[in-house]
Amino acid sequence: MKYLHIHILIAFMSIFNTSCENPSKEAKIKMVLTGSVHGQLDPCGWKKNPLGGLSRKFIAIEDMRKAGDDPLILDAGDMFFSKTNINVNNINSEKFRCETMLKGYEKIGCSALNIGKYEVLAGLSFLKKMENKYSSIPFISGNIKDRDSGKLLFRPYVTLNRDGLNLGVIGLPNMIPDTMTSVNTEDY
C-alpha cells in the first residue's frame, strides 16, 4: 500500500501570460496553502501558538483582504473528514463535518481544492454531490479517473489571474482508499 503523499503542483506560468500589459512589472502574489486539515474545525490545541481552525483561517484571510491583498486560497487535499475509518457509527457526523468545512471554505473563497484520500472516503457519489452543492469551490484532480471509461472525474486544473499574471493550479493526488474500486489514479 502506498503511503499517503498528496501533491499539488502550482505552476506559475508567466510564459502563458498574454494579459500582462507591462512585462517588466513586478507581480506580488500571496497564497494561503493548507493540506491535510482532516476536518479540523477548531485550533489544534497546542498551548503555545495553536495552529489551524476554520475561524482563524477566515480571520487571517479577511485581514489580508482588508490590507488590499487578493490571495490565492488553495487546499492540497485531505480536508473533509477527521479520520480514515468512515463507518455506520460515524458517517453522519463526518458528513456534517465535511459540509461545515465546505461552507467555511465557500465563505472564505477557496480558489481550488485538490481531491485527496480523505475526500473520497464517503464514496464518489457523496463527493460529486458536494462538488455540485458547493460549486463555487473548484474541485480539481488531474489523475483520478473512472476505472471503466478512463475519463477524469474532476477538472484537472484551474487558471487564476492575480496581479496581471495567469496562474495554473493542477491537482495531483497519489493515493485513494483501497475501497474505491470504481476509480484509479495515475502517478505523475
Side-chain angles (χ1 to χ4, degrees), residues 6-8 74-79 112-116 119 138-143 170-173:
I6 300 296
H7 296 280
I8 188 166
L74 304 172
D75 193 281
D78 290 350
M79 182 261 294
L113 167 65
N114 185 50
I115 301 303
E119 281 72 38
F139 286 33
I140 61 172
S141 171
N143 63 337
I170 303 166
L172 293 173

Side-chain angles (χ1 to χ4, degrees), residues 83-152:
K83 37 185 109 218
T84 57
N85 184 18
I86 303 292
N87 58 52
V88 295
N89 296 321
N90 66 5
I91 187 73
N92 291 332
S93 64
E94 289 296 324
K95 284 182 176 181
F96 182 79
R97 177 185 301 274
C98 167
E99 287 218 49
T100 303
M101 294 295 293
L102 285 169
K103 285 176 187 174
Y105 272 51
E106 193 172 56
K107 187 168 185 161
I108 288 169
C110 186
S111 306
L113 167 65
N114 185 50
I115 301 303
K117 179 180 182 178
Y118 279 63
E119 281 72 38
V120 297
L121 287 174
L124 188 58
S125 62
F126 176 75
L127 179 57
K128 293 305 269 183
K129 179 181 172 186
M130 294 299 99
E131 179 184 32
N132 291 329
K133 186 172 183 177
Y134 298 96
S135 60
S136 67
I137 302 171
F139 286 33
I140 61 172
S141 171
N143 63 337
I144 295 180
K145 297 181 177 185
D146 179 270
R147 187 172 302 277
D148 295 331
S149 70
K151 292 184 179 181
L152 288 173

Side-chain angles (χ1 to χ4, degrees), residues 1-187:
M1 178 164 167
K2 297 178 187 177
Y3 292 99
L4 175 62
H5 191 235
I6 300 296
H7 296 280
I8 188 166
L9 175 62
I10 304 165
F12 294 91
M13 299 181 286
S14 59
I15 192 166
F16 298 108
N17 184 19
T18 58
S19 64
C20 187
E21 294 176 12
N22 184 358
S24 62
K25 178 185 170 228
E26 182 179 300
K28 293 184 181 179
I29 300 168
K30 292 194 177 182
M31 172 177 37
V32 176
L33 174 64
T34 53
S36 297
V37 174
H38 299 168
Q40 189 69 41
L41 297 167
D42 299 318
C44 67
W46 290 27
K47 293 182 186 210
K48 188 175 184 179
N49 298 322
L51 301 173
L54 201 53
S55 60
R56 290 173 56 119
K57 181 176 182 173
F58 175 80
I59 290 168
I61 292 168
E62 283 301 301
D63 287 346
M64 293 173 79
R65 289 181 175 137
K66 286 176 186 173
D69 295 319
D70 184 18
L72 296 171
I73 313 298
L74 304 172
D75 193 281
D78 290 350
M79 182 261 294
F80 279 11
F81 305 112
S82 66
K83 37 185 109 218
T84 57
N85 184 18
I86 303 292
N87 58 52
V88 295
N89 296 321
N90 66 5
I91 187 73
N92 291 332
S93 64
E94 289 296 324
K95 284 182 176 181
F96 182 79
R97 177 185 301 274
C98 167
E99 287 218 49
T100 303
M101 294 295 293
L102 285 169
K103 285 176 187 174
Y105 272 51
E106 193 172 56
K107 187 168 185 161
I108 288 169
C110 186
S111 306
L113 167 65
N114 185 50
I115 301 303
K117 179 180 182 178
Y118 279 63
E119 281 72 38
V120 297
L121 287 174
L124 188 58
S125 62
F126 176 75
L127 179 57
K128 293 305 269 183
K129 179 181 172 186
M130 294 299 99
E131 179 184 32
N132 291 329
K133 186 172 183 177
Y134 298 96
S135 60
S136 67
I137 302 171
F139 286 33
I140 61 172
S141 171
N143 63 337
I144 295 180
K145 297 181 177 185
D146 179 270
R147 187 172 302 277
D148 295 331
S149 70
K151 292 184 179 181
L152 288 173
L153 295 172
F154 304 94
R155 62 179 116 175
Y157 64 89
V158 292
T159 304
L160 307 165
N161 186 288
R162 292 295 189 281
D163 202 17
L165 291 177
N166 291 323
L167 309 166
V169 181
I170 303 166
L172 293 173
N174 73 345
M175 186 175 188
I176 55 172
D178 296 338
T179 57
M180 290 297 299
T181 58
S182 62
V183 301
N184 64 20
T185 59
E186 292 183 9
D187 288 333

